[in-house]
Amino acid sequence: MTSMSCLKAPPSAPLISVSARWAARGLCAATALALAACGTTGGGAGQAAACKPLSGSVSRTQGAVVGAAVGAVAGGLVGSQVSDRSSVGARNGALLGAIGGALAGSAYAKHISMTEQADGTVKLNIPGKVMFASNSSDLSPEFRGTLDKVGGVIAEYCGVNARIVGHTDSQGEAAYNQALSQRRAASVQQYLSAVLSGKGAQGRQLAVEGAGESQPVASNLNEDGRAQNRRVEVFIIPPKS
């Protein structure tokens, strides 16, 4: 059997642009999972597939996951920064690759940044402008297909949950912004919940939080900064074990 050596960054490595190191790690994780699944037989056409453990299993389209790890992660199709941490194992690298692969085909891929947190949670940072009209919490019909892809990854792997956090800029009253951020996060949660229900994964936890204007990532003194602050963050959380 052919073996593969995966690259690791030093534990102190900061957030960096997507690089060949992540390409190698993503390829390692996805290929290892694909090889582990070679001896299994999937369900027939039209049958609902049970969730899979995040280690030792791959997507229903196994080759797509391998391509996702290399193409989406190495090519930077989803976001421009990934946390390269040696403390995060192949299990969570597989989650990162699966999400990257799912989003690579989205028309909004270039707007979404994807970062891996220290605990292996994958954060999707989504600008509010691609999801909602101004001062609205009604989810854009055009963006729903992208959330279908996110929900598909959550449903596919056993024990994966999510937390959705809405944010606003500092324009207007703080109380209004707080309420708007909560409604927007709830709108995303409700849509993802429907996606999971349709895939037989109703038991997953989808926590909701409205942060209002309290957690800016840029200056609110100019429009570019305010646009960055108007966002929804979706934290996709792997199982603890």
Side-chain angles (χ1 to χ4, degrees), residues 10-205:
S12 61
L15 288 177
I16 61 172
S17 297
V18 177
S19 65
R21 286 182 298 171
W22 252 107
R25 286 184 60 192
L27 178 60
C28 256
T31 303
L33 295 184
L35 291 173
C38 282
T40 65
T41 302
Q47 294 180 344
C51 70
K52 300 172 181 139
L54 198 52
S55 59
S57 183
V58 294
S59 168
R60 286 184 292 271
T61 52
Q62 297 173 3
V65 174
V66 177
V70 179
V73 179
L77 294 178
V78 181
S80 59
Q81 291 186 316
V82 171
S83 176
D84 193 354
R85 299 175 185 273
S86 61
S87 61
V88 178
R91 176 176 66 95
N92 296 333
L95 177 60
L96 186 71
I99 298 168
L103 292 178
S106 168
Y108 296 96
K110 66 180 181 180
H111 298 286
I112 302 172
S113 66
M114 182 174 69
T115 56
E116 186 177 72
Q117 311 301 293
D119 63 355
T121 294
V122 177
K123 181 178 77 171
L124 304 180
N125 185 52
I126 310 170
K129 66 181 180 181
V130 304
M131 304 181 76
F132 306 102
S134 179
N135 292 318
S136 173
S137 58
D138 295 332
L139 191 62
S140 166
E142 292 79 13
F143 195 78
R144 292 174 185 175
T146 298
L147 287 182
D148 287 338
K149 297 175 185 294
V150 174
V153 173
I154 296 172
E156 186 164 8
Y157 294 100
C158 302
V160 174
N161 299 302
R163 180 167 64 94
I164 302 106
V165 185
H167 301 269
T168 69
D169 60 27
S170 63
Q171 298 290 95
E173 295 293 331
Y176 175 85
N177 290 334
Q178 173 63 38
L180 177 61
S181 68
Q182 182 74 29
R183 292 197 305 272
R184 287 183 167 183
S187 182
V188 174
Q189 186 270 345
Q190 289 163 12
Y191 189 85
L192 285 176
S193 180
V195 172
L196 295 180
S197 179
K199 295 180 179 294
Q202 298 94 327
R204 305 304 178 87
Q205 297 180 5

